Amino acid sequence: WASCFMVTLGSLYTVCSGLHGVVWTDVMQSGLIFIAIAFVVGKALVTASIPDEFIVSLPNKSSSALATDKPSYTNYTTTRDDWLNLAPKWDLELDTDTTYSNFNHFILLLLFYTIKTTTEGSGGPTGYMFQRYMATSSDRAAGLMSAMWVQLLAFRWPFIAAVAVLGLNYSQNTAFIEDPEQVLPIVLSKLVPTGL
């Protein structure tokens, strides 16, 4: 019954408030997200540190396609300098038995990603953003909305970096996180207050 109630409430809200309500909902959500990002980044800056040398684990390529097989990991020693270097290396030199070895030619991947996203972006808005672009009153308003989204989405990078640093700090000082896919859930459940 709770699901039916929420669907009915959401539908009524959307019908009654229209695009005006959607915009205010986005503003409220953005504010809450910004508060959470500021908290996580602040916590990482104040409490976490990156050691000179540390170990992370990389998932190995599976020998079979069965989902029931327990994944295995390879420990990889890296340094603070590697993590803080702003210029990416041409070759990451990751072990070819790990799934992350697909990213060994990282700069080449960045080049193709840039071409892909530029080509897709040249085709105009798609997906959930399409209704927002169509609702703008002019080309200028659509351009301003694009600029606003670019600025707002820029905050995700400090958040991701803070989660990585907090996960690394937790892994080095509390309990080693073997599965890289568990870094975000562990950081959110162990280091961020419930409800934030």
Side-chain angles (χ1 to χ4, degrees):
W1 288 106
S3 297
C4 292
F5 175 73
M6 292 305 293
V7 168
T8 304
L9 182 66
S11 299
L12 284 173
Y13 173 75
T14 303
V15 169
C16 294
S17 65
L19 184 64
H20 187 73
V22 171
V23 169
W24 280 110
T25 302
D26 282 353
V27 168
M28 296 301 291
Q29 287 176 346
S30 297
L32 293 173
I33 290 169
F34 185 75
I35 290 168
I37 289 172
F39 176 83
V40 171
V41 169
K43 184 171 182 79
L45 288 172
V46 172
T47 64
S49 62
I50 302 175
D52 291 334
E53 187 174 280
F54 54 93
I55 295 173
V56 294
S57 64
L58 306 175
N60 291 324
K61 292 179 180 174
S62 178
S63 57
S64 74
L66 298 176
T68 57
D69 290 347
K70 185 175 188 286
S72 61
Y73 301 93
T74 298
N75 287 342
Y76 178 75
T77 303
T78 186
T79 65
R80 179 186 328 143
D81 293 337
D82 284 342
W83 268 46
L84 298 179
N85 189 1
L86 292 178
K89 291 185 198 176
W90 177 259
D91 188 2
L92 297 180
E93 300 171 2
L94 298 174
D95 186 356
T96 57
D97 291 334
T98 67
T99 57
Y100 289 0
S101 65
N102 297 335
F103 299 102
N104 271 339
H105 299 296
F106 191 62
I107 292 179
L108 191 60
L109 287 172
L110 286 177
L111 174 68
F112 281 117
Y113 177 76
T114 302
I115 292 169
K116 174 191 170 292
T117 54
T118 302
T119 304
E120 286 175 347
S122 298
T126 58
Y128 75 97
M129 290 302 296
F130 186 64
Q131 68 179 359
R132 287 166 174 80
Y133 280 103
M134 296 307 288
T136 57
S137 59
S138 65
D139 288 345
R140 181 178 186 282
L144 289 172
M145 187 174 69
S146 293
M148 178 190 73
W149 277 107
V150 167
Q151 291 173 356
L152 290 177
L153 288 175
F155 289 107
R156 65 184 164 180
W157 301 115
F159 174 73
I160 296 301
V163 167
V165 169
L166 287 171
L168 175 63
N169 196 47
Y170 181 87
S171 187
Q172 301 299 314
N173 298 325
T174 306
F176 186 70
I177 303 173
E178 186 177 42
D179 184 359
E181 296 293 330
Q182 293 301 311
V183 172
L184 178 63
I186 288 172
V187 165
L188 293 179
S189 66
K190 306 279 186 192
L191 304 175
V192 176
T194 303
L196 185 64

